[in-house]
Amino acid sequence: MGMARHDVKHLVIMRHAKADYPPGALDHDRPLMTRGAHDAAAAGEWLAQQYTPDMIMVSSALRTRQTVTWVCSELGEKAPTPQLVDELYNAHETAIIAAVNHAPETVRTLLVVAHMPGVLDTVLRLASRDSDVDAMMDVSGGFPTSGVAVLEVPGDWALLDGGDARLVHFEVPRG
């Protein structure tokens, strides 16, 4: 397992943390609630211990950007500079996978922070038949705010398309 795993990349798909609905606010400008900030920090703490990303792609929405700020605060000096990707805002799985396809092949662990239903649809489309059964059950039951799905990607980011990544973990950190 040791030798084979060395080649494996990790794709971490995260839904933004719990956001508020302020009166009159545009959807794009909805901020995180206090609970959301705590949950995002908890997710960052979990990622720092398990799957520290060396690249982060984030939707341009305020709630996703704030989520990433809290995640990065927990990653500390290991945090990469997040890349804002407008196409990830309320994106379907095709747009999310297209963004992932453009990641440099040198990236070992890619974190993508986006929205429902795109995050769920992306995981369900990419997950291979040999995915972890418990993780599949958990993610199929819904993808809560600040939920984190981890997929093992055996080949190039550019070739990722469908059914070719192994879902190995689904975590819903709470602060």
Side-chain angles (χ1 to χ4, degrees):
M1 191 152 170
M3 291 299 286
R5 275 186 65 91
H6 195 70
D7 250 15
V8 172
K9 299 178 170 89
H10 287 104
L11 173 60
V12 182
I13 304 278
M14 179 176 181
R15 183 182 176 191
H16 63 79
K18 186 81 177 156
D20 205 354
Y21 289 90
L26 295 171
D27 179 72
H28 193 272
D29 301 329
R30 289 173 47 213
L32 291 187
M33 300 177 80
T34 306
R35 194 193 107 195
H38 291 304
D39 292 347
E45 192 179 353
W46 185 82
L47 286 169
Q49 293 163 6
Q50 305 281 338
Y51 301 99
T52 300
D54 41 38
M55 183 176 190
I56 299 175
M57 293 181 182
V58 56
S59 153
S60 56
L62 181 59
R63 59 191 178 276
T64 44
R65 289 185 285 126
Q66 288 182 333
T67 297
V68 164
T69 299
W70 286 102
V71 166
C72 287
S73 73
E74 295 298 322
L75 294 175
E77 291 179 359
K78 294 186 288 187
T81 303
Q83 313 282 315
L84 276 184
V85 182
D86 282 329
E87 292 78 15
L88 290 176
Y89 175 61
N90 283 345
H92 291 289
E93 77 271 17
T94 42
I96 294 175
I97 293 169
V100 171
N101 291 152
H102 286 94
E105 298 301 340
T106 49
V107 171
R108 306 309 301 164
T109 301
L110 172 62
L111 170 62
V112 178
V113 183
H115 310 263
M116 275 291 278
V119 287
L120 175 59
D121 292 342
T122 298
V123 172
L124 295 179
R125 177 165 150 191
L126 292 178
S128 62
R129 286 166 187 244
D130 63 339
S131 291
D132 180 85
V133 177
D134 292 332
M136 281 302 292
M137 290 290 290
D138 289 345
V139 82
S140 301
F143 204 123
T145 52
S146 65
V148 181
V150 181
L151 296 122
E152 289 181 349
V153 178
D156 291 351
W157 298 120
L159 301 176
L160 197 60
D161 177 35
D164 45 10
R166 184 169 173 262
L167 180 67
V168 290
H169 208 101
F170 185 66
E171 186 80 14
V172 183
R174 291 288 177 244

